[in-house]
Amino acid sequence: MRFDVLTLFPTMIDDYCSQSILKRARENNIIEVNTINPRNFSLDKHKKVDDTPYGGGAGMVLMAQPFVDAYESIDISNNSLTVMLTPQGKTFNEKMCVDFSNFEQIILICGHYEGFDERIRDIIKPFEVSIGDFVLTGGELPALCLIDSVSRKLEGTLGKLLSAEEDSFSNGLLEYPQYTKPRDFRGYKVPDVLLNGNHSEIEKFRKEESIKRTKLRRSDLLRNN
Ligand code: ADE
């Protein structure tokens, strides 16, 4: 999977993707992460990428030319998806994440502080994604959420350490409670069932706890099943 990220702050993307599990996934050629900075495509002598809005109003608007030219510089595969990160988009969820993991290439368009000139949407026609009903200062964190969650769906990313299938949401339920050593921490004890080595009892306990936790915290997930 190749991620091409259009961003005015490429180090934000590079830094995160150079650590831990994503670093290993890049080293193992499971994912490739490239950044393209629209500022490098600005035809303005001061490398301007934003300007005041026609019609007036507060703030600045990201200019169409640097973004569209930067986008058109990318080598686009015929199994690719172009995503614009914006609070106006469809809310990202686990199903979308699985669907996205089937593409060969995902191009991510990040704004910063201000809105996009509408002609960026008209020309590129991206699929617009929001990561929740709140507004961030830019699309970089949402893009990283998408890169991270999609990457962990790809075979080999998590290795033997973790299983994406056992995660919260992948079976439509929240994850059961987990414990590690010691057996007793400040009087809080590990449930006996996890200590007796009876795997079918352990599985039953975990399933019941998952359902209990989902009912209590996210009953909307059970209704959607
Ligand atoms: N850019 C700013 N806020 C955002 C959000 N909630 N989701 C996606 N992109 C954004």
Side-chain angles (χ1 to χ4, degrees), residues 16-155:
Y16 185 84
C17 297
S18 304
Q19 319 265 346
S20 180
I21 291 175
L22 294 189
K23 176 184 180 199
R24 205 179 53 203
R26 290 172 94 177
E27 286 167 357
N28 294 336
N29 296 318
I30 296 163
I31 60 165
E32 195 185 315
V33 183
N34 300 310
T35 55
I36 303 101
N37 189 342
R39 196 175 293 283
N40 296 336
F41 291 80
S42 172
L43 298 177
D44 176 81
K45 66 171 182 277
H46 303 295
K47 297 279 169 209
K48 220 163 106 110
V49 289
D50 56 4
D51 212 330
T52 52
Y54 277 121
M60 301 287 271
V61 176
L62 294 167
M63 296 161 79
Q65 178 274 316
F67 276 80
V68 172
D69 283 355
Y71 180 76
E72 289 176 347
S73 77
I74 299 170
D75 193 6
I76 299 181
S77 125
N78 44 24
N79 182 20
S80 74
L81 174 73
T82 299
V83 173
M84 175 184 270
L85 287 315
T86 154
Q88 301 178 27
K90 201 165 169 345
T91 311
F92 193 57
N93 62 22
E94 186 70 9
K95 168 153 191 326
M96 237 190 255
C97 179
V98 172
D99 290 347
F100 286 7
S101 71
N102 293 314
F103 288 94
E104 208 173 278
Q105 179 188 30
I106 299 181
I107 300 152
L108 297 153
I109 305 172
C110 307
H112 218 83
Y113 311 122
E114 50 242 322
F116 294 100
D117 185 309
E118 192 61 19
R119 288 156 307 175
I120 300 174
R121 291 185 167 93
D122 295 338
I123 294 167
I124 298 176
K125 299 185 176 59
F127 180 70
E128 298 189 35
V129 171
S130 163
I131 60 157
D133 289 339
F134 47 88
V135 182
L136 295 160
T137 56
E140 285 76 13
L141 276 175
L144 287 170
C145 290
L146 193 150
I147 293 171
D148 189 294
S149 58
V150 170
S151 295
R152 64 198 296 296
K153 296 288 174 205
L154 304 175
E155 207 182 320

